[in-house]
Amino acid sequence: MTALTLSTAAAPGLRVDAIVVGVAKVPGSTSGALVVAPGAEAVDKAYDGKLADVLETLGASGGEGEVTKLPAPSGFKAPLVLAVGLGALPEKDDSFSAETLRRAAGVAARALAGTKKAGFALPVTDAADAGAVGEGVLLGAYAFDAYKEIAKNGSGDKKGKAPLVEATLLGGKPRDKAFKAAVERATAVSEELNRARDLVNTPPNDLNPEAFAAVAQAAAKEHGIKVQVLDEKALAKGGYGGILGVGAGSASAPRLVKLSYTSSKAKKHLAFVGKGITYDSGGISLKPAGHNETMKCDMSGAAAVFAAVVAAARLGLQVNVTGWLALAENMPSGSATRPGDVLRMYSGKTVEVLNTDAEGRLVLADALAKASEETPDAIVDVATLTGAMMLALGNRTFGIMANDDAFRSAVHEAAEEVGEPAWPMPLPDHLKKGMDSPTADIANMGERYGGGLVAGLFLKEFVGEGITWAHLDIAGPAFNEQGPFGYTPKGGTGSAVRTLVRLAELTASGDLG
């Protein structure tokens, strides 16, 4: 992974392969005039104060995410200057939002693939800005090439350019505690988020429930996290009918993994629950052609929970965080659960399975009921749960449902703060009637319209009484099938990791209820 360092050095004397600067549009300008963003004054001076003019001549507009490369001026140790667009210059002051800095740094880092070292002279006015730039660099430089064919040129190199090796953040203060802490936080969160991306991108033939559990066990041992893994025998003995029912058709047995990070100074306890369907064929209710190819990503919720717990441990947050990974593979076979079957869940409730492709809510129901036994201060579940949420919010925004309006708002604010687009969604009581079953306590399907909300209402039934709970449906943003943008790559994105970490931080500081 790319290494981050802070430096107060001047850009001209920095021995790197490229210097990154920011440029912005002048608000209200009819000519599309550019300005060089703060942080790049030394670079602009080397161009006799005409860097913006040169970039305009080359066709740069300052649009967000735009990249323009040009030779460095005489006297620079670096041979290249890379200008990245920041969008419109803020009208009130020269400060750019943290998300603008993240995206710009991510675009630049990706554009510098194949480069060893780069200096980032983006606007950094405080430690928070440095953290945002660092996070953008680390997330933007991500690449997943574990399965790329070795080039047949005798070099042994893998196809594609290697990620940026080292990034120096100019304008930072290496000896300042706040700046050092911001970079350390960016590194820990980004490394774990990228680990979640790796898991999502790993082919399902190499990441079944047992293999995922082994990854979690190894990380837990490394970072001092207690771990418990329930295999199929323990699940059967414990009465986890939902997880067992979903995994019944697969040769790979299901698992329920509990990760426990504890702090001696903690006053609150959070539980995170993740849907971990390592491959979702739909089961007997088989998905149609064209809908199976990316279903390795159906464990993105569990990956996010896993990454968030490890990040909390690495950051030493003063809050207890328990992660529950509900892992199963949903396959059709002679032993698979059938539409019409009734499962007895861990909570004791019975569920009539009307559609085996509505399996995520079944594994989550068992994990939510188990998590509730510890009476945490709040539970947040994360899942690629419904196509209906994608229809409602698109591919980049996740939905938030909750049994407490104030908590739902707090989760939404945390998500927006860290740059993860989200939107609060309701849980209308009238939709519950659609899940009435003549055979069981509840059915796993309800009305077609509002399907994402129906799924949320189903999950709510398995949350312990009096426990604050939120549900994040990340079906849209969890896997990016289009081209990369900002610091987001194609493939697994690590959606919700940063939201969960921020919730843990806010809880630790006493700012979340």
Side-chain angles (χ1 to χ4, degrees), residues 143-372:
F144 183 75
D145 60 4
Y147 293 82
K148 293 288 180 113
E149 181 184 353
I150 302 298
K152 298 176 182 178
N153 57 10
S155 69
D157 294 333
K158 293 177 181 177
K159 288 184 177 179
K161 297 179 180 179
L164 177 66
V165 176
E166 184 178 334
T168 300
L169 310 187
L170 301 179
K173 301 176 182 179
R175 296 182 180 180
D176 185 283
K177 290 183 179 180
F179 276 81
K180 289 174 64 177
V183 169
E184 289 171 359
R185 180 191 184 279
T187 300
V189 174
S190 298
E191 285 183 351
E192 295 313 319
L193 191 152
N194 284 338
R195 194 206 303 250
R197 288 172 170 178
D198 283 348
L199 287 167
V200 176
N201 289 325
T202 300
N205 57 316
D206 280 347
L207 191 76
N208 59 24
E210 184 178 3
F212 195 150
V215 171
Q217 286 175 304
K221 182 178 181 180
E222 179 183 357
H223 296 289
I225 299 169
K226 292 183 180 179
V227 61
Q228 179 185 17
V229 178
L230 300 184
D231 61 14
E232 62 272 35
K233 292 182 180 179
L235 290 169
K237 184 177 180 179
Y240 295 86
I243 297 175
L244 288 168
V246 173
S250 174
S252 298
R255 297 286 187 271
L256 178 61
V257 179
K258 178 185 179 183
L259 297 166
S260 302
Y261 161 68
T262 57
S263 167
S264 60
K265 298 180 180 180
K267 295 181 180 179
K268 293 291 183 77
H269 175 203
L270 290 178
F272 298 149
V273 178
K275 172 187 173 183
I277 304 301
T278 58
Y279 182 75
D280 181 20
S281 70
I284 296 296
S285 305
L286 194 67
K287 292 179 183 292
H291 290 73
N292 287 289
E293 290 76 6
T294 61
M295 282 300 101
K296 65 181 181 180
C297 80
D298 214 20
M299 37 57 69
S300 296
V305 166
F306 164 57
V309 175
V310 177
R314 291 182 59 174
L315 295 172
L317 300 183
Q318 295 180 15
V319 59
N320 293 337
V321 183
T322 304
W324 299 88
L325 317 181
L327 309 176
E329 186 177 60
N330 187 24
M331 296 291 283
S333 74
S335 61
T337 294
R338 297 152 291 218
D341 282 356
V342 173
L343 304 177
R344 185 171 296 279
M345 313 298 281
Y346 177 78
S347 68
K349 290 183 180 179
T350 55
V351 176
E352 182 180 9
V353 179
L354 300 181
N355 187 328
T356 63
D357 195 24
E359 84 300 329
R361 64 199 70 182
L362 298 176
V363 299
L364 286 174
D366 274 354
L368 285 168
K370 182 63 176 177
S372 295

Side-chain angles (χ1 to χ4, degrees), residues 4 153 311 316 319 373 444 475 494:
L4 284 184
N153 57 10
V319 59
E373 290 182 347
N444 77 328

Side-chain angles (χ1 to χ4, degrees), residues 426-447:
L427 287 174
D429 281 341
H430 72 270
L431 290 176
K432 289 172 61 177
K433 185 170 178 57
M435 293 184 286
D436 286 349
S437 167
T439 309
D441 294 324
I442 191 172
N444 77 328
M445 292 290 289
E447 294 183 27

Side-chain angles (χ1 to χ4, degrees), residues 4 28 51 66 71 96 110 129 181 198 270 295 385 416 456 464 466:
L4 284 184
L51 176 56
E66 178 186 75
F96 291 86
R110 187 169 57 253
D129 287 345
D198 283 348
L270 290 178
M295 282 300 101
L385 206 59
E416 293 292 335

